[in-house]
């Protein structure tokens, strides 16, 4: 599943999207990113490493307790660990969100 957003949302003064942040937190991002404006959620279909197509999510699949979202934190952690292993970045963690550590 991918989230698509307007990267200029904050500069456009779009409203905070708390639901998108809830999705990110449920997927293992802590602290979760802050989203502004609409966010488009799409399931992807891949053939090996190649993106094949985008698929709609059903209403039940958009629920915060959806099975894919419950698995997402572990899936993301495993992906990050494998990526770090392949790139030699062992032991590194996700950088802090700007301002979350007292530095803007």
């Amino acid at each position: 599943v991918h989230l698509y957003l307007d990267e200029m949302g904050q500069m456009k003064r779009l409203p905070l999207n708390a639901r998108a942040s809830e999705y990110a937190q449920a997927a293992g991002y802590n602290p979760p990113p802050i989203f502004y404006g609409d966010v488009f959620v799409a399931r992807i279909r891949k053939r090996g490493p190649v993106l094949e197509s985008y698929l709609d999510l059903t209403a039940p699949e958009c629920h915060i307790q959806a099975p894919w979202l419950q698995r997402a934190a572990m899936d993301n952690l495993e992906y990050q660990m494998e990526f770090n292993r392949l790139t030699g970045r062992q032991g590194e963690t996700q950088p802090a969100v700007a301002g979350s550590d007292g530095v803007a």
Side-chain angles (χ1 to χ4, degrees), residues 1-3 23-30 68-84 94:
V1 172
H2 285 181
L3 297 178
Y23 274 101
Q25 187 166 28
Y29 293 93
N30 188 13
W68 71 267
L69 195 50
Q70 298 300 304
R71 290 189 309 269
M74 186 57 69
D75 290 347
N76 286 333
L77 178 60
E78 289 172 356
Y79 175 85
Q80 181 180 351
M81 289 171 55
E82 179 63 10
F83 185 81
N84 287 347
Q94 177 180 332

Side-chain angles (χ1 to χ4, degrees), residues 2-102:
H2 285 181
L3 297 178
Y4 297 91
L5 61 136
D6 183 347
E7 294 176 353
M8 302 299 287
Q10 184 177 17
M11 291 179 63
K12 293 178 180 177
R13 299 181 186 261
L14 297 176
L16 186 65
N17 188 329
R19 186 173 183 197
S21 292
E22 287 177 27
Y23 274 101
Q25 187 166 28
Y29 293 93
N30 188 13
I34 298 170
F35 297 97
Y36 295 89
D38 293 335
V39 172
F40 173 72
V41 181
R43 185 175 358 163
I44 58 170
R45 180 184 318 188
K46 293 173 88 174
R47 183 166 297 192
V50 178
L51 175 64
E52 193 173 87
S53 62
Y54 297 97
L55 305 168
D56 291 334
L57 291 168
T58 64
E61 290 174 313
C62 292
H63 192 276
I64 198 75
Q65 296 295 322
W68 71 267
L69 195 50
Q70 298 300 304
R71 290 189 309 269
M74 186 57 69
D75 290 347
N76 286 333
L77 178 60
E78 289 172 356
Y79 175 85
Q80 181 180 351
M81 289 171 55
E82 179 63 10
F83 185 81
N84 287 347
R85 185 187 70 76
L86 292 171
T87 60
R89 298 172 63 191
Q90 300 288 26
E92 291 188 34
T93 59
Q94 177 180 332
V97 174
S100 65
D101 58 359

